[in-house]
Amino acid sequence: MDHERLMRLRELSPEDRLGMLKKPSDYLALAEWKSSGVKFTASSGRLEAVYYSALHKLMDCIVPADSGEAPVLHEGGVYPGCWLESTGTISAELLSRFLPGVAGSTFSLFAEHQREDGLLPYKVTQAGPAFRQIQMVTPLARSVWNHYEQQGGNQAFLRRMYEAMGRFDTWLSLHRNTRGSGCVEAFCTFDTGHDLSPRFWHVPDTAHMEDAAQCDPDSPILPFLAPDLTANVYCQRLYLAKIAEELGEDGCVWLAKAAASRASLFQSCFDEEDHFFYDRDRTGRFVRVQSDVLLRVLACEVGDREFFDVMLRRYLLNTRKFFAKYPFTSLAMDDPRFDPFSSYNSWGGASNFLSLIRAPHAFEHHGRYVELTWVIQPILGALSRMSRFGQCLSPWTGEEGYTETYSPAILCLLDYVERLCGILPVAGGELWFTGLLPYPMDNGEAAAEETEYARTVDGHAYELLTTRERAVICRNGEEYLSFPFGVRVVTDRAGRLLKLIGMSSRTIEGSIWYEGKQIAFAVKGNEQLAYNNGAMTSISDIGVIVPEYC
């Protein structure tokens, strides 16, 4: 173990790296960050400097709530407020690992401003809550549940959010099922946040008369039966069932509703021939635009692993479709309407950071850990060159595009570092220690050649040092576990070894040092080895799916 590197990590002061903060609430956020114990250092490359630049800009996105209570997360850039599709769901879910108090206040903001009829605001700004569309992507219930599990179980918070989400489900059933299909209908472009996407060409941006319950009566094609909105409600209901059980109620009603949503999704929006999800317009035709709707549906836990694997081969890992040099594009690249430009707010082609922070759940839900690293690696290369933290990337060059100080881009960096070479607490009680490093994908320039990461969990201080040969974990100042590069170690929150996961497309052979002894193993890509009685036993071996070119 390199003690010099370890001492540098321990002596690092986040406040010194951030420099002068701009507002009083920044110091509250910084104090919470320090309580997480999260630190990151790298022996060379640009990634460490960019990491703390991102953290400094994250403080600009955390502002006091209008009520004067705890600070909340804002979208950032040209978006001065909290959006349900992003800030109030996936962004707050990621932030919960670093600033749980800010995340909790952000979630609560939407329940606080819920309308009497059950409609949740699609955004909350200094001007107050706004209700002219629904604009939802990541299921709120999943984000709330993961926050609840990671932060020790505040049932008063869970109860408040559960009741608010239940009322919103009723509102959607009453107002967004006008065709009786059981699907959730899109009345406008902004319902899904798909600005400038060809999916919504010749569709108004906002709902009719700026009323989320009204659809343009003169449109020849609206409303759409929307696969991503329907999948959102399907997944939402799955997690509402979990929450109901946690609160001592019967979750079976929610499970039955979830099953009905899933059936409607496949009956109305899934094309068997293309193996793709499309909107269906009011005439009954598919809107055959292949967009990141697919990734959104999959991130809502639709389909089993076999179904997901087909989607990987045909679309997500296909370089003619969405697997650009800097994935994922917001429109299939072989669509003649594909527009790669990222200099404006567009979902017509550019790779958007909201897609990138939504993607991990889809992959990890099906055990596709190796394949996810092929997304993380080029994106971290692009992030290491960032100075503004824009909303989107050029899928060809990785250059940052529209706007700046955009919190999903900042959170993408924090999240991807933790997934690749950090210490990741997972809802359900696991800790992931991943022994990988950023690979020099861009012009042979390494973003970081060796890394060090620290995090405090339940009062225990963990440190992870990674080189190209081996990774070492310290617990409360003492080395207690080491393992070869290319492997993820999974423990419980107390640090007890549970299993290993192969994180490389090649087979990793070697030994793990744990509890004073060497334990030999060989693990293939995505294979999982359980630790029992001093030995490793394979419990899952699903193989690796390689990229496609046609």
Side-chain angles (χ1 to χ4, degrees):
M1 182 170 61
D2 190 326
H3 292 282
E4 183 177 341
R5 292 170 55 208
L6 184 59
M7 290 308 298
R8 182 170 179 267
L9 176 67
R10 290 175 178 174
E11 292 172 358
L12 181 139
S13 167
E15 55 263 56
D16 290 344
R17 295 302 301 269
L18 292 185
M20 184 69 67
L21 299 176
K22 299 177 182 177
K23 53 189 185 300
S25 60
D26 292 348
Y27 293 92
L28 296 175
L30 176 59
E32 189 169 26
W33 178 277
K34 290 174 64 178
S35 71
S36 75
V38 172
K39 299 181 184 180
F40 171 70
T41 58
S43 59
S44 61
R46 298 168 297 203
L47 192 57
E48 180 182 329
V50 172
Y51 186 93
Y52 289 101
S53 172
L55 181 54
H56 189 277
K57 290 181 180 293
L58 179 63
M59 298 298 167
D60 293 338
C61 300
I62 296 171
V63 301
D66 291 338
S67 61
E69 298 176 355
V72 297
L73 179 68
H74 273 196
E75 193 79 353
V78 298
Y79 308 104
C82 304
W83 265 253
L84 181 62
E85 69 154 329
S86 48
T87 336
T89 48
I90 185 60
S91 293
E93 182 178 338
L94 298 183
L95 189 69
S96 180
R97 303 204 308 260
F98 306 95
L99 301 173
V102 177
S105 297
T106 306
F107 288 129
S108 297
L109 200 62
F110 290 89
E112 176 186 340
H113 290 285
Q114 186 173 34
R115 214 164 64 180
E116 288 186 5
D117 65 355
L119 179 61
L120 289 176
Y122 77 90
K123 70 174 180 180
V124 180
T125 68
Q126 287 185 339
F131 298 95
R132 68 179 183 180
Q133 63 243 16
I134 53 177
Q135 199 157 341
M136 56 192 208
V137 180
T138 298
L140 176 60
R142 190 198 85 195
S143 296
V144 165
W145 175 255
N146 288 339
H147 171 76
Y148 170 82
E149 279 213 312
Q150 284 188 9
Q151 302 310 323
N154 181 334
Q155 286 214 350
F157 163 81
L158 192 65
R159 168 67 67 181
R160 184 186 189 195
M161 296 303 301
Y162 174 71
E163 292 176 352
M165 292 184 291
R167 290 191 294 269
F168 184 45
D169 185 270
T170 299
W171 188 95
L172 289 169
S173 299
L174 289 173
H175 299 287
R176 289 304 184 102
N177 185 28
T178 63
R179 293 167 58 181
S181 68
C183 292
V184 181
E185 296 164 350
F187 288 178
C188 62
T189 303
F190 291 169
D191 275 342
T192 66
H194 260 139
D195 306 47
L196 298 187
S197 171
R199 174 190 184 188
F200 287 109
W201 281 0
H202 310 295
V203 166
D205 283 342
T206 61
H208 187 59
M209 305 298 289
E210 297 198 341
D211 179 356
Q214 292 193 52
C215 185
D216 178 8
D218 298 314
S219 171
I221 53 177
L222 291 178
F224 287 171
L225 307 182
D228 46 350
L229 297 180
T230 304
N232 176 294
V233 168
Y234 160 71
C235 190
Q236 179 90 349
R237 289 170 166 176
L238 290 180
Y239 280 85
L240 284 171
K242 290 178 183 282
I243 295 171
E245 296 287 348
E246 179 72 9
L247 295 173
E249 299 183 9
D250 185 2
C252 291
V253 173
W254 287 117
L255 290 176
K257 289 183 176 182
S261 290
R262 185 186 184 281
S264 298
L265 172 67
F266 277 91
Q267 180 176 351
S268 297
C269 299
F270 185 64
D271 180 64
E272 293 279 356
E273 183 177 351
D274 289 351
H275 204 78
F276 204 90
F277 293 96
Y278 297 113
D279 297 298
R280 194 181 286 273
D281 73 9
R282 70 182 296 176
T283 71
R285 300 172 302 169
F286 281 133
V287 181
R288 292 188 180 276
V289 176
Q290 293 183 351
S291 72
D292 69 301
V293 160
L294 175 62
L295 186 56
R296 294 176 174 200
V297 170
L298 295 173
C300 288
E301 304 179 11
V302 171
D304 58 15
R305 192 184 71 239
E306 182 180 358
F307 184 83
F308 183 71
D309 290 352
V310 173
M311 294 303 193
L312 286 181
R313 293 186 179 97
R314 293 187 64 166
Y315 295 104
L316 295 180
L317 296 183
N318 189 324
T319 61
R320 287 176 63 103
K321 295 294 186 179
F322 298 99
F323 199 46
K325 179 174 173 60
Y326 298 91
F328 292 104
T329 57
S330 48
L331 197 74
M333 289 177 281
D334 61 355
D335 189 308
R337 293 159 291 199
F338 174 74
D339 174 12
F341 291 102
S342 58
S343 57
Y344 44 88
N345 175 21
S346 170
W347 287 80
S351 298
N352 277 262
F353 275 105
L354 277 174
S355 291
L356 290 167
I357 62 176
R358 292 164 180 155
H361 187 79
F363 282 73
E364 292 168 351
H365 183 68
H366 298 289
R368 290 292 169 198
Y369 305 106
V370 173
E371 294 83 351
L372 179 61
T373 68
W374 304 338
V375 178
I376 292 175
Q377 288 284 12
I379 297 303
L380 273 182
L383 283 163
S384 72
R385 295 184 269 123
M386 280 197 162
S387 60
R388 293 185 290 104
F389 295 94
Q391 172 182 327
C392 48
L393 289 172
S394 164
W396 305 152
T397 69
E399 292 184 19
E400 56 188 321
Y402 179 70
T403 199
E404 60 184 346
T405 314
Y406 186 62
S407 62
I410 294 166
L411 290 165
C412 185
L413 173 60
L414 303 183
D415 180 55
Y416 278 20
V417 164
E418 196 156 89
R419 290 181 191 279
L420 191 77
C421 54
I423 304 167
L424 173 65
V426 181
E430 292 183 348
L431 297 180
W432 293 356
F433 300 83
T434 308
L436 292 174
L437 289 168
Y439 194 83
M441 303 287 288
D442 297 342
N443 300 311
E445 296 182 16
E449 294 183 346
E450 296 178 343
T451 61
E452 303 80 41
Y453 199 92
R455 175 181 273 284
T456 300
V457 180
D458 296 342
H460 299 295
Y462 293 96
E463 296 156 323
L464 173 66
L465 284 70
T466 306
T467 70
R468 296 280 172 195
E469 290 75 40
R470 201 163 179 83
V472 176
I473 305 172
C474 294
R475 181 175 179 271
N476 297 327
E478 300 293 332
E479 180 178 347
Y480 89 107
L481 194 155
S482 67
F483 57 98
F485 180 87
V487 172
R488 172 174 286 161
V489 165
V490 180
T491 75
D492 63 15
R493 291 175 71 94
R496 289 182 288 266
L497 179 61
L498 300 176
K499 61 185 177 181
L500 302 182
I501 300 174
M503 296 296 292
S504 170
S505 59
R506 62 185 172 91
T507 297
I508 304 296
E509 297 185 58
S511 63
I512 178 172
W513 181 82
Y514 177 65
E515 293 186 330
K517 55 188 175 183
Q518 298 284 350
I519 306 163
F521 70 90
V523 63
K524 292 177 280 186
N526 290 322
E527 186 178 9
Q528 300 186 38
L529 307 179
Y531 175 70
N532 286 299
N533 300 318
M536 295 291 179
T537 305
S538 181
I539 56 173
S540 175
D541 184 7
I542 63 174
V544 173
I545 294 176
V546 299
E548 296 285 348
Y549 306 102
C550 60

